Amino acid sequence: MRFGALLLVPTLALVLTACTEDPPSAKDAAAALATAIAEGDFEGVTFTQANIDVAAHRDAVLEPLAEVEHTVTLADVEVVAEGDDKGKAATATLAYSWEVTDAAPWTYETTVDLALQEPAKGEDGPARWAVAWEPDVLVPGLADGDRLAVTRVRAERGQILGGDGAPVVEPRPVHRIGVDKMNLDPARQDAVAREVAAAVGIDVEAYAQKVAGAGDKAFVEAIVVRQDDTAGIDVASVQAVDGASVIPGTLDLAPTRTFARAILGRVGDATAEAVEESEGKVVAGDTVGLSGLQRQYDVQLRGNPGITVSIVGDGSAGEDTGEDTDLDGEPDPVENVTDVFTVDPVAGVPLATTLRTDMQVAAESVLAGVPSASAIVAIEPSTGNVLAAASGPGGDGTSTATTGKYAPGSTFKVASALAMLRTGLTPESVVSCTPTLSVDGREFQNVPGYPTSALGEVPFRTAFANSCNTAMISQRDAVTQQALHDAAADLGLGVESELGAPAFFGSVPASAEGTEHAASIIGQGKVEASPLGMATLAASVAHGARVSPVLVRPEVTAAADETPTPSSLTADEAATLLSLMRSVVTDGSAVALKTLPGDVAAKTGTAQYGDGSQAHAWMIAIQGDLAVAVFVETGDSGSGTAGPLMQAFLDAPNTGE
């Protein structure tokens, strides 16, 4: 808006020229002047000077504040009460308020003289109050030829912190690679642009057009790479391109190129959309969060910019020192700058996360060679802190770890087992593990390679340890779908938490019958979970009570929209589940983890998807005060695909016990 201020005085300009018996009061005339200054329309306001364009002067001086909300009000009027000018002269005080920052408005007062003028000879009508216009009516200290300048000072952006309180994202050395048009022959710009784009692996045609459309003196960035990890780009070869520019600099970055990238997000120059959405708080050239936590908590992280409003005058010629002279050899004018309002920038507030840098790096290293979408989530059961939330490169930049939606397969049997324990089943109860089981015409079978030694009438512990599908489904009449839903919720699956970041916590239908209910028992059908959700389930078992995972600890935590239903999980139930999961390692499908230190407990999972020829591979594990979920979207089996990844992660330095 152009000076669309909130006006606190009535528009009285017309009153000044109306034909009335009595002249308007000095107060009315001064109030009309305040309105005119606020709106920029001086029609009807009389001035003592002839041929003066006050509107143009006002617009030129206040142009840097054109988009700023403001008010101009009449504070006081004093009419001369004695002497020759008694009743014919007045001084008005105008009060200005500019909302230049959120921190504090810029407020000040100016004075202006008014004189009561009689009608010119031969004119009819009353006397009129005329304004003696001076530049300092707009801003105190403003003189002829002066203008205002507004300087915006960026605030220092708040850091994203790891669980140890140390910055995760901080300035790190980078190379800015591109084309500097100011130092390049225009005839060669297109060829150089294409050569640079090809060298760094970006769209050649798009970059060439970007260079062509930039200003004559612009540096057109092609890519930014870390100095310690150039992502395979040969910077030396780019530097050898005649006309290419490689500029060293710094950029706020995480410890590695992939470090929690989908979660932390990135920062960059404010987009037009970000500027518009900010309602004036962000301007072009500002650095803002563009994705992930950087965007979600941008207001907290970016702080408040500093503002300085200055009066800039033409000044006078300085001493002839032989420097800064114009073409005639005369010293250049030296601008006089007087600061009239200053608000210092307020640094952004750091954002604390629970991520452990070493553990996150270890998780991402383990997943680096996995071709399909994959994830590792590690939670500290005693606190609920998410220590690692890594998504593999096959996820195309999405946070598979926290927002993925997949059938959890047999890892869900931990929840199913809890529901069965509540019917009176015990780890030593005998159940029937048959090779196949038919439910309403659909045949369910065990995972390929299921050990024949664990078939037949076996203890529930044995069926659980080897992940017998048919034994679990055989309990379908004793365990309702609602009981499955409740058991899962008691372990944290499908329960929202104040994670502090976007997440999918899981979904378990409360009602299902027939084959759908049977499929739910083994973690398929309409049961869905994220790696975060399954790590939460494991953490609840380890903790002996439902865990609410936390990834971000913002400056102010918003109240939850609703309070989750209390968990009915007991310490004895959790201890039994932990014992069953320990059997999976000692005598079942996760025996490969037996060599790890500590009493590791686990559960494998394989969930067919699509036409049934492909499978999700899962494993959850508990090692001391650490609960982990490993997921691979397309794998062979939980034990064969997810198992080695789990073992590598728990065996990494500083990860396991």
Side-chain angles (χ1 to χ4, degrees), residues 237-475:
S237 295
V238 178
Q239 288 174 317
V241 175
D242 185 15
S245 292
V246 178
I247 302 174
T250 61
L251 193 65
D252 286 344
L253 298 170
T256 67
R257 183 162 48 90
T258 59
F259 187 93
R261 185 163 53 191
I263 293 176
L264 299 184
R266 62 189 182 92
V267 297
D269 292 338
T271 61
E273 179 185 8
V275 171
E276 182 178 355
E277 290 178 351
S278 73
E279 298 182 345
K281 295 180 176 63
V282 174
V283 301
D286 279 359
T287 297
V288 299
L290 299 177
S291 62
L293 298 182
Q294 290 283 8
R295 180 172 182 175
Q296 183 178 350
Y297 295 95
D298 185 58
V299 172
Q300 173 180 330
L301 291 167
R302 73 169 182 252
N304 292 314
I307 294 289
T308 297
V309 182
S310 308
I311 295 176
V312 180
D314 289 337
S316 57
E319 294 182 6
D320 189 355
T321 62
E323 299 180 355
D324 297 326
T325 59
D326 59 23
L327 295 178
D328 296 326
E330 294 297 326
D332 288 338
V334 178
E335 288 188 333
N336 293 321
V337 179
T338 302
D339 295 341
V340 292
F341 179 73
T342 299
V343 172
D344 292 331
V346 178
V349 176
L351 181 69
T353 75
T354 60
L355 294 177
R356 247 182 65 175
T357 302
D358 57 347
M359 199 172 285
Q360 180 74 22
V361 170
E364 291 178 359
S365 177
V366 168
L367 298 176
V370 179
S372 71
S374 58
I376 294 177
V377 176
I379 294 176
E380 187 176 52
S382 61
T383 62
N385 289 344
V386 177
L387 306 180
S391 298
D396 295 328
T398 61
S399 182
T400 307
T402 57
T403 62
K405 296 182 179 182
Y406 303 96
S410 292
T411 55
F412 184 75
K413 289 176 182 175
V414 175
S416 300
L418 175 59
M420 293 172 188
L421 293 175
R422 289 173 172 175
T423 68
L425 197 73
T426 71
E428 308 313 320
S429 297
V430 176
V431 294
S432 179
C433 179
T434 57
T436 62
L437 180 67
S438 180
V439 178
D440 293 345
R442 176 181 172 183
E443 186 177 83
F444 291 88
Q445 56 188 356
N446 296 317
V447 67
Y450 185 86
T452 57
S453 60
L455 289 172
E457 302 299 306
V458 297
F460 180 64
R461 180 183 297 279
T462 299
F464 184 89
N466 292 278
S467 203
C468 181
N469 289 336
T470 58
M472 301 295 289
I473 295 174
S474 69
Q475 303 299 309

Side-chain angles (χ1 to χ4, degrees), residues 7-13 15-16 24-38 41-42 44-47 72-79 89-96 110-116 128-133 137:
L7 302 178
L8 303 182
V9 295
T11 303
L12 301 173
V15 178
L16 297 180
S25 68
K27 181 178 180 180
D28 290 339
L33 175 64
T35 300
I37 292 173
D41 183 1
F42 292 86
V45 178
T46 301
F47 296 94
V72 185
T73 60
L74 177 62
D76 187 35
V77 175
E78 291 186 3
V79 179
T91 299
T93 301
L94 305 180
Y96 291 75
T110 65
T111 59
V112 58
D113 292 334
L114 297 88
L116 187 64
R128 294 181 296 183
W129 286 97
V131 175
W133 183 261
V137 174

Side-chain angles (χ1 to χ4, degrees), residues 81-95:
E82 54 186 41
D84 294 340
D85 289 331
K86 180 179 180 181
K88 298 180 180 180
T91 299
T93 301
L94 305 180

Side-chain angles (χ1 to χ4, degrees), residues 92-294:
T93 301
L94 305 180
Y96 291 75
S97 180
W98 298 88
E99 301 296 329
V100 290
T101 73
D102 290 337
W106 176 32
T107 60
Y108 58 86
E109 292 184 345
T110 65
T111 59
V112 58
D113 292 334
L114 297 88
L116 187 64
Q117 292 183 340
E118 298 295 335
K121 188 175 181 180
E123 291 184 359
D124 294 328
R128 294 181 296 183
W129 286 97
V131 175
W133 183 261
E134 296 292 343
D136 62 2
V137 174
L138 293 173
V139 180
L142 196 74
D144 284 332
D146 289 350
R147 57 185 173 84
L148 289 185
V150 178
T151 304
R152 183 183 176 92
V153 181
R154 289 187 188 182
E156 180 180 353
R157 191 170 181 83
Q159 303 277 16
I160 292 183
L161 309 178
D164 59 357
V168 170
V169 175
E170 59 183 340
R172 302 178 193 274
V174 297
H175 293 299
R176 296 182 181 274
I177 301 173
V179 172
D180 186 354
K181 294 182 69 173
M182 185 170 65
N183 298 315
L184 185 60
D185 182 352
R188 299 187 58 248
Q189 287 174 1
D190 183 71
V192 172
R194 293 175 183 276
E195 191 171 356
V196 168
V200 300
I202 64 174
D203 188 305
V204 172
E205 190 63 36
Y207 182 64
Q209 292 179 6
K210 183 179 178 181
V211 171
D216 293 340
K217 299 181 179 180
F219 170 73
V220 188
E221 190 174 278
I223 197 170
V224 179
V225 297
R226 295 169 181 262
Q227 292 186 15
D228 60 356
D229 180 5
T230 61
I233 294 173
D234 187 343
V235 176
S237 295
V238 178
Q239 288 174 317
V241 175
D242 185 15
S245 292
V246 178
I247 302 174
T250 61
L251 193 65
D252 286 344
L253 298 170
T256 67
R257 183 162 48 90
T258 59
F259 187 93
R261 185 163 53 191
I263 293 176
L264 299 184
R266 62 189 182 92
V267 297
D269 292 338
T271 61
E273 179 185 8
V275 171
E276 182 178 355
E277 290 178 351
S278 73
E279 298 182 345
K281 295 180 176 63
V282 174
V283 301
D286 279 359
T287 297
V288 299
L290 299 177
S291 62
L293 298 182
Q294 290 283 8

